[in-house]
Amino acid sequence: MFKKAVEAKSHQRLSGADRKKLKRTLRDRFPRASDADIDALLPPKTEITVSKFQNRVLVYSVEGGFPVFFDVDGRGTDIFPTVFALWKVPELLPCFMLKGGEVSRFVIGGADLMFPGISIPADGLPSFLSGEPWAVKVPGNPAPIAVGSTTMSSTEALKAGLRGKALRITHYYRDLLWGSVEGHSVPNAGFLEDVVVEDPAFLSTSQVSDSCEGAADSSNDQKNGEEGIIDADNANSEPNSTSATQDDFDGNIVEQVAADVGDLKLTENVDAGETNEEHHVLTTEDVDAYLDKCLLQALHTTVKDKDLPMPGSTLWSNHILPCRPSGITLDIKKSSHKKLSKWLQAKSSAGLKWKCETQVLPHFNNRVLLGWFIPGHICEISVKEDKYKKESMLFSVNRGHPDYLSFKPEKRPAEKASQAVDHAASDNIQPAKILEVTEVYKPSVHVNPIFASVGADTGRLYTFSEACDVVFNYIEKENLVKPTAKSIVVLDPTLSDALFKGAIKKGTTYPTEIHKKDLGSTFVNRMQAHHVVSRGSQSVVRKGALKTIQIVTERRQGNKKMTKLSGLETFLMDPEALASELQKKFACSTTVAELPGKKGQEVLIQGGVIADVAKHLVEQFGIPKGYIEFISPKPVNPSTADQRQIGSSGGCGWSEKTEGIVENKTQVVASPETGETTAN
């Protein structure tokens, strides 16, 4: 993150409102921190400055002091404390403990933290989720040396055998953010130029405490050692009154570092031996045999005809690799074919006479379709003409081939177990994305007497069924059911005013009776409509009916299309985050702009992707189809008056039968490819 020098675009002081917002964000981001910890880092009567960099990073600093927090994306979602903040409040974040101080050379050199370099506690790996902020410490030194975010959860780490990357380091001791502070301060004498080792003061305090000599003095020394910040240039040149004791501690440090280095080298040698042994076992012929077996296993179990055509990369990652035996690593480069496309083409034409025919098809987006005509079946592979890479596609499977018929697929209970674990993990993540929309109603001046009569609270919100219960409780209390017709309610003056006062023209007689099936809706219509939108832990209550998300496609200069998306704030969606997501999904440019003349923002997407965007909102964000409104543009043919009226009328809804847009009796269908609309 701070490996290269980047100049700040601006420096400004935080206002009072922004300071409060920052503190709220920090409390949510760091639940381990108390209010006193946050006040210690951001003193109430001290100015806080924010520096904006060109890579969108925001750095919050105490004026005249150290940088305390930095925001990776500038949106408040990925805020991390600096090492200066962690030296002041070490318990702000949970910490991974390194196996030894020698490992710190790699961390402060800019490398990410790997699981083999972490010391696992005796009670097991601590529980954590992917993307959580964690710090890094050296044994015997209370001050953290780096901070970053986890790359996987603890469950995934155990499944991977504690291999791979554990922490993506975003900031560390001796990077450019640390170097931007004058004086190059360090928390204790264990922070050297190229390595971090045990703190001598911390070790001496521990030894004196264990021998029960000078317990009070040692506790004060430890406190001073943890909280004090000294100058790095003078850390090694300060005079030491107890030189003999210090030499003993330095000798212990050297011995400990040497022992840790020996352990690390031994572990790496063992792992390397195991890896080499696995590589020597699998020869080229073995890899080819495993590839053929996994392909047949996938064709029997997971590859269905309805999924075709299928890209070769999808076939490899989602079907072939999951079918490999446990403990076997398949690498296509270790086979005799060297490339996935060559292996697939070899499997489609091996041992049979075939011929190739090339034809350019416009609807395949300038792809060349190569057809291999084989006796007994046809296998078609689509190869995309690309300057840098080629991708093959599987179009059909000959399930009558002798090799296919003679193969007996294996039952894999372990695979089912892993799928169950993955499914459970996905279930744990899914509730955070679930959208809940509830229509609620607040009592108005018209119906307040009814609520007061039955003792109901007039200041709270009620659902439709709860409001109906209130009015029926009033009917039961006042005994208003008609004796001769149990489905008819006789209206007394209070209920009659609640239902019809102000809604009936002057001179018209009020109804004296009402059917029970009409009573609930009539009563609720006299209340104030509200709606509650909840997504995970976020929830908001707004007055009025729920506004829909509006999608419209416009034709710009040069016959270019632009899709506009507005109303996202109603459903607790971040327009900036959605624009970034759609940019990657549709491989097009996106922008976020303020709505002209209105409050809110809209997302502008290059191209006519109106149907794709609606499908993405339904599948990924759980937006009900009834709350997605398509605004049809003016028709191309202005000769038809009805079409011109439909195009300018605005609101359109979702049709389940046609997956298009329906308004009144005229259907306006949006093309999924181009986004153009035609009226039928």
Side-chain angles (χ1 to χ4, degrees):
M1 179 61 63
F2 298 101
K3 297 179 182 180
K4 298 180 180 180
V6 181
E7 267 185 59
K9 294 192 299 184
S10 63
H11 303 272
Q12 62 184 18
R13 293 181 179 180
L14 283 185
S15 62
D18 291 337
R19 179 195 290 263
K20 293 179 181 179
K21 182 179 178 181
L22 176 61
K23 288 189 174 183
R24 288 196 301 267
T25 304
L26 295 178
R27 290 189 186 97
D28 297 338
R29 177 71 170 170
F30 311 115
R32 297 163 61 100
S34 62
D35 293 339
D37 294 336
I38 296 179
D39 289 339
L41 298 175
L42 301 174
K45 296 183 179 180
T46 305
E47 293 292 340
I48 306 298
T49 61
V50 56
S51 302
K52 298 182 179 180
F53 291 83
Q54 295 180 355
N55 53 0
R56 296 185 178 180
V57 176
L58 303 180
V59 178
Y60 299 93
S61 307
V62 178
E63 191 170 11
F66 306 102
V68 285
F69 296 97
F70 63 94
D71 191 351
V72 174
D73 57 358
R75 299 174 182 172
T77 56
D78 286 332
I79 293 184
F80 295 90
T82 63
V83 290
F84 301 104
L86 292 175
W87 293 344
K88 200 168 186 179
V89 185
E91 302 302 325
L92 186 64
L93 290 180
C95 294
F96 287 119
M97 191 67 68
L98 299 181
K99 285 186 176 180
E102 193 66 16
V103 185
S104 64
R105 293 183 183 272
F106 304 98
V107 176
I108 66 177
D112 292 331
L113 180 61
M114 313 298 286
F115 277 107
I118 298 176
S119 177
I120 306 299
D123 53 353
L125 186 70
S127 177
F128 54 87
L129 299 177
S130 177
E132 287 186 352
W134 279 64
V136 182
K137 284 185 178 180
V138 172
N141 199 317
I145 67 171
V147 64
S149 59
T150 55
T151 59
M152 63 180 73
S153 64
S154 55
T155 305
E156 295 171 342
L158 293 175
K159 288 174 59 178
L162 296 180
R163 296 286 181 182
K165 187 181 299 183
L167 199 68
R168 184 178 292 105
I169 302 297
T170 55
H171 165 54
Y172 52 91
Y173 160 63
R174 300 201 70 84
D175 67 356
L176 292 179
L177 180 59
W178 173 86
S180 63
V181 178
E182 295 181 3
H184 294 177
S185 301
V186 294
N188 53 59
F191 280 71
L192 305 179
E193 184 176 356
D194 58 347
V195 68
V196 179
V197 295
E198 296 88 346
D199 181 20
F202 184 78
L203 290 177
S204 63
T205 303
S206 302
Q207 290 182 0
V208 173
S209 177
D210 292 340
S211 61
C212 299
E213 295 178 2
D217 296 336
S218 66
S219 61
N220 294 331
D221 293 339
Q222 179 180 0
K223 181 178 180 181
N224 295 332
E226 289 178 351
E227 295 181 353
I229 295 182
I230 62 178
D231 194 286
D233 299 332
N234 301 328
N236 298 326
S237 61
E238 290 181 353
N240 191 356
S241 59
T242 58
S243 58
T245 305
Q246 185 64 38
D247 292 339
D248 294 338
F249 291 134
D250 292 340
N252 294 334
I253 292 172
V254 174
E255 293 176 1
Q256 181 66 26
V257 171
D260 292 334
V261 173
D263 294 340
L264 289 173
K265 289 183 178 179
L266 179 60
T267 304
E268 291 175 355
N269 291 336
V270 172
D271 295 339
E274 294 176 355
T275 306
N276 292 335
E277 183 179 354
E278 291 180 0
H279 283 291
H280 285 305
V281 169
L282 291 181
T283 62
T284 303
E285 292 76 11
D286 295 334
V287 174
D288 291 342
Y290 276 121
L291 288 175
D292 296 343
K293 182 179 179 181
C294 293
L295 176 61
L296 291 172
Q297 177 77 16
L299 294 179
H300 273 276
T301 55
T302 60
V303 178
K304 308 299 180 183
D305 291 337
K306 63 179 181 180
D307 299 331
L308 303 179
M310 179 185 300
S313 57
T314 303
L315 175 67
W316 174 261
S317 59
N318 296 350
H319 300 278
I320 295 179
L321 287 182
C323 291
R324 66 186 187 273
S326 178
I328 298 298
T329 302
L330 284 182
D331 188 355
I332 193 68
K333 296 181 181 179
K334 304 295 182 181
S335 67
S336 59
H337 304 281
K338 305 300 181 182
K339 291 185 179 181
L340 178 63
S341 58
K342 292 184 178 180
W343 176 62
L344 292 176
Q345 293 175 4
K347 301 313 295 179
S348 66
S349 58
L352 296 175
K353 183 178 179 181
W354 56 277
K355 64 178 182 179
C356 176
E357 182 176 316
T358 305
Q359 183 180 4
V360 178
L361 302 179
H363 58 277
F364 273 84
N365 297 328
N366 295 328
R367 292 190 179 191
V368 178
L369 186 67
L370 303 180
W372 282 265
F373 300 94
I374 306 172
H377 75 287
I378 297 177
C379 180
E380 295 178 346
I381 297 178
S382 177
V383 180
K384 181 180 179 180
E385 288 186 340
D386 198 309
K387 183 178 179 181
Y388 302 101
K389 61 181 180 179
K390 295 182 179 179
E391 184 175 8
S392 301
M393 295 189 67
L394 176 65
F395 273 83
S396 61
V397 177
N398 179 20
R399 303 191 184 275
H401 196 276
D403 292 342
Y404 182 88
L405 297 176
S406 60
F407 181 79
K408 294 182 180 180
E410 299 178 358
K411 296 182 179 180
R412 309 176 71 85
E415 182 180 353
K416 295 181 179 179
S418 63
Q419 290 178 355
V421 172
D422 294 340
H423 183 67
S426 63
D427 291 342
N428 294 334
I429 300 175
Q430 187 64 22
K433 298 182 179 180
I434 291 180
L435 176 72
E436 295 182 0
V437 180
T438 307
E439 294 182 352
V440 291
Y441 305 89
K442 186 177 182 180
S444 62
V445 293
H446 303 290
V447 299
N448 278 341
I450 304 297
F451 282 85
S453 178
V454 298
D457 186 8
T458 57
R460 57 161 289 197
L461 299 173
Y462 295 84
T463 62
F464 184 88
S465 59
E466 292 173 346
C468 292
D469 291 340
V470 171
V471 68
F472 280 106
N473 289 339
Y474 176 81
I475 293 171
E476 184 178 357
K477 177 183 177 183
E478 301 294 335
N479 195 17
L480 299 180
V481 179
K482 193 173 184 178
T484 57
K486 299 296 183 181
S487 60
I488 301 299
V489 176
V490 180
L491 301 180
D492 63 353
T494 303
L495 185 58
S496 179
D497 289 344
L499 297 180
F500 301 109
K501 186 176 181 179
I504 295 181
K505 296 181 180 180
K506 294 182 179 180
T508 306
T509 306
Y510 281 17
T512 58
E513 299 177 344
I514 188 172
H515 200 281
K516 284 185 177 180
K517 67 179 182 179
D518 301 327
L519 177 62
S521 58
T522 306
F523 182 77
V524 170
N525 288 336
R526 301 284 285 177
M527 301 175 65
Q528 296 178 357
H530 290 68
H531 61 273
V532 181
V533 180
S534 303
R535 184 185 295 276
S537 59
Q538 296 181 338
S539 182
V540 64
V541 181
R542 296 189 179 96
K543 186 177 179 180
L546 184 65
K547 297 181 180 179
T548 59
I549 294 179
Q550 297 183 349
I551 308 177
V552 61
T553 300
E554 292 184 354
R555 193 179 297 274
R556 295 293 181 90
Q557 186 178 4
N559 200 24
K560 296 181 180 179
K561 298 182 180 63
M562 177 73 70
T563 302
K564 292 184 177 182
L565 189 63
S566 60
L568 301 173
E569 295 85 357
T570 305
F571 296 91
L572 303 179
M573 298 171 59
D574 184 11
E576 293 281 354
L578 180 63
S580 177
E581 184 176 343
L582 295 179
Q583 180 182 8
K584 297 176 183 178
K585 181 177 179 62
F586 300 131
C588 61
S589 63
T590 58
T591 22
V592 178
E594 297 291 335
L595 283 171
K598 298 180 182 179
K599 185 178 180 181
Q601 295 179 317
E602 64 177 354
V603 178
L604 306 179
I605 310 167
Q606 183 183 16
V609 290
I610 182 170
D612 296 330
V613 169
K615 184 179 179 181
H616 183 76
L617 293 177
V618 172
E619 294 179 353
Q620 300 298 326
F621 293 93
I623 306 297
K625 293 181 179 180
Y627 292 109
I628 299 178
E629 182 181 9
F630 296 86
I631 308 299
S632 58
K634 293 183 179 181
V636 178
N637 183 9
S639 60
T640 307
D642 294 338
Q643 290 185 359
R644 181 164 56 251
Q645 182 179 1
I646 293 171
S648 60
S649 62
C652 303
W654 188 292
S655 174
E656 288 283 355
K657 296 181 180 180
T658 61
E659 289 294 329
I661 312 167
V662 177
E663 181 179 9
N664 297 332
K665 296 182 180 180
T666 305
Q667 183 182 8
V668 184
V669 182
S671 173
E673 291 81 6
T674 62
E676 296 183 356
T677 57
T678 56
N680 298 330

